[in-house]
């Protein structure tokens, strides 16, 4: 599930919030799936390896873009703008959100469900033992099956409420709990983010339209472990430019995963993703990050998808997500008053994909496949 690299207070009564203004230190005025700032201080010793995070002010640095890269980006934007004139769906509007679905009492809940409070990020890396790894793989495999099923429901006139209900039913029939439900007050069992919605879209009564793209984010809690995955699907006849964006986003995920192995630097993930996205003139959203996952929904390490100089090395046995978001236009965002739904500020479409992976001695294993 997409997570954020920043946090500050958010007023439920506020109007749309612009998420990109900064001056040195940066706090984003919106609420999202990770509940603490990334500027944490911790020292972890795992398998004889140490990752130190020293206290410091978080600063935003910008990569100097070459003239060629900028020219490619502008040309790509013009191409997509021309195609958009042929067919452009109306701006996303919130529909009616149905009541929260019930979960049978016999199904175990994650600890955060009862509190209703957005949990802090755990500072502990998720490294399951042999028994835990079996459970982790089962949770991830279930999440992958549910996501595949959800994708078959994507058709014009289907509502995201209907997708939520189908996903919810499949998860509880498997004896699992839909992890988003009740997480910091999130009211649904899955996130459905359509067109310009970057992430954390709340399912509602809006019908999918021919030409939409939709990011479906599935996380399940099974036998004490979370499995987290997502993909962007096509609804009907989709613009070729939008298809290209989704394809490149998937390639970025693959390239990010390819650099992962025991001892690899976390910052290599963002470097590889950024390099590939820039070849096609796309922009990588910095605000939302991957995260450790296992018995805890969100933990360190935080996985940045853009170029960065964050410290830390991967450790054999770790489980975490990589989940880049690419946009055609700006990476600035607005958040609806529901405190969750996050859209591109310029209305341009966004695409995202995600896997949960396990770090091995020589590489990594994708767990969210079936």
């Amino acid at each position: 599930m997409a997570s954020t690299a920043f946090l500050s207070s958010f007023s439920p009564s506020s109007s749309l919030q612009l998420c990109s203004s900064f001056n040195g230190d940066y706090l984003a005025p919106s609420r999202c799936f990770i509940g603490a700032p990334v500027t944490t201080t911790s020292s972890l010793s795992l398998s004889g390896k140490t990752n130190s995070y020293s206290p410091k002010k978080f600063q935003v640095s910008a990569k100097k873009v070459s003239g060629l890269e900028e020219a490619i980006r502008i040309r790509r934007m013009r191409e997509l703008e021309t195609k958009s004139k042929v067919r452009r769906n109306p701006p996303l509007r919130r529909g009616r959100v149905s009541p929260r679905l019930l979960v049978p009492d016999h199904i175990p809940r994650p600890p955060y469900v009862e509190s209703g409070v957005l949990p802090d990020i755990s500072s502990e890396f998720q490294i399951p033992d042999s028994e835990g790894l079996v459970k982790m793989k089962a949770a991830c495999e279930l999440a992958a099956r549910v996501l595949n099923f959800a994708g078959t429901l994507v058709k014009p006139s289907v509502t995201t409420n209907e997708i939520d209900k189908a996903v919810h039913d499949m998860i509880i029939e498997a004896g699992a709990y839909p992890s988003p439900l009740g997480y910091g007050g999130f009211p649904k069992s899955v996130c459905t983010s359509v067109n310009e919605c970057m992430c954390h879209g709340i399912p509602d009564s809006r019908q999918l339209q021919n030409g939409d793209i939709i990011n479906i984010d599935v996380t399940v809690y099974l036998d004490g472990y979370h499995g987290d995955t997502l993909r962007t699907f096509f609804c009907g006849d989709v613009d070729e430019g939008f298809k290209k964006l989704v394809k490149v986003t998937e390639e970025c995920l693959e390239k990010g995963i390819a650099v992962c192995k025991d001892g690899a630097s976390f910052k290599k993930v963002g470097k590889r993703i950024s390099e590939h996205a820039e070849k096609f003139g796309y922009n990588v959203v910095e605000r939302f990050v991957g995260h450790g996952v296992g018995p805890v929904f969100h933990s360190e390490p935080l996985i940045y998808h853009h170029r960065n100089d964050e410290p830390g090395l991967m450790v054999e046995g770790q489980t975490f997500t990589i989940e880049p978001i690419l946009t055609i236009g700006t990476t600035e965002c607005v958040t609806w008053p529901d405190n969750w739904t996050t859209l591109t500020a310029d209305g341009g479409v966004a695409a995202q994909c995600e896997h949960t992976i396990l770090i091995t001695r020589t590489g990594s294993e994708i767990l969210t496949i079936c």
Side-chain angles (χ1 to χ4, degrees), residues 51-64:
N51 288 274
S52 297
Y53 296 84
S54 59
K56 62 181 179 179
K57 288 186 177 180
F58 184 85
Q59 294 184 334
V60 175
S61 60
K63 169 183 174 290
K64 185 175 180 181

Side-chain angles (χ1 to χ4, degrees), residues 271-283:
K271 181 177 184 293
R272 186 65 61 87
I273 288 172
S274 295
E275 287 174 345
H276 192 66
E278 288 162 2
K279 290 179 183 178
F280 299 89
Y282 298 133
N283 300 304

Side-chain angles (χ1 to χ4, degrees), residues 17-22 26 196-198 283-288 325 327-335 342-350:
Q17 305 280 328
L18 182 63
C19 300
S20 61
S21 301
F22 62 85
Y26 178 50
E196 69 268 34
C197 185
M198 289 181 177
N283 300 304
V284 180
V285 175
E286 298 184 10
R287 177 179 176 79
F288 299 100
I325 304 174
T327 65
I328 288 176
T330 184
T331 59
E332 294 179 351
C333 60
V334 293
T335 299
T342 302
L343 283 66
T344 58
D346 62 359
V349 296

Side-chain angles (χ1 to χ4, degrees), residues 254-272:
E254 293 169 0
K255 291 182 178 297
I257 293 173
V259 304
C260 294
K261 64 178 181 178
D262 181 49
S265 172
F266 287 113
K267 64 184 179 183
K268 285 185 177 181
V269 175
K271 181 177 184 293
R272 186 65 61 87

Side-chain angles (χ1 to χ4, degrees), residues 1-2 139-140 142-151 163 167 171 177-180 189-192 215-221 226-231 233 297 354 356 368:
M1 178 170 293
C140 288
L142 174 60
R145 285 195 289 113
V146 173
L147 181 63
N148 286 345
F149 169 66
I163 294 175
V167 165
I171 292 172
Y177 185 91
S179 301
S189 299
V190 68
C191 297
T192 52
N215 158 10
I216 300 178
D217 189 347
V218 172
T219 312
V220 306
Y221 182 70
H226 296 275
D228 191 359
T229 186
L230 69 87
R231 196 184 319 153
F233 297 93
F297 196 173
E354 172 190 21
T356 296
T368 43

Side-chain angles (χ1 to χ4, degrees), residues 230 249 252-253 273 284 305 322-326 351-354:
L230 69 87
T249 304
C252 282
L253 175 60
I273 288 172
V284 180
H305 305 115
I322 301 177
E323 43 189 303
I325 304 174
L326 269 59
Q352 186 181 19
C353 53
E354 172 190 21

Side-chain angles (χ1 to χ4, degrees), residues 72-87:
I72 292 173
R73 188 188 70 80
I74 292 172
R75 184 181 68 183
R76 185 67 182 169
M77 281 289 295
R78 287 174 177 168
E79 290 174 353
L80 291 167
E81 285 171 358
T82 300
K83 290 181 179 180
S84 295
K85 291 177 182 178
V86 177
R87 185 184 66 214

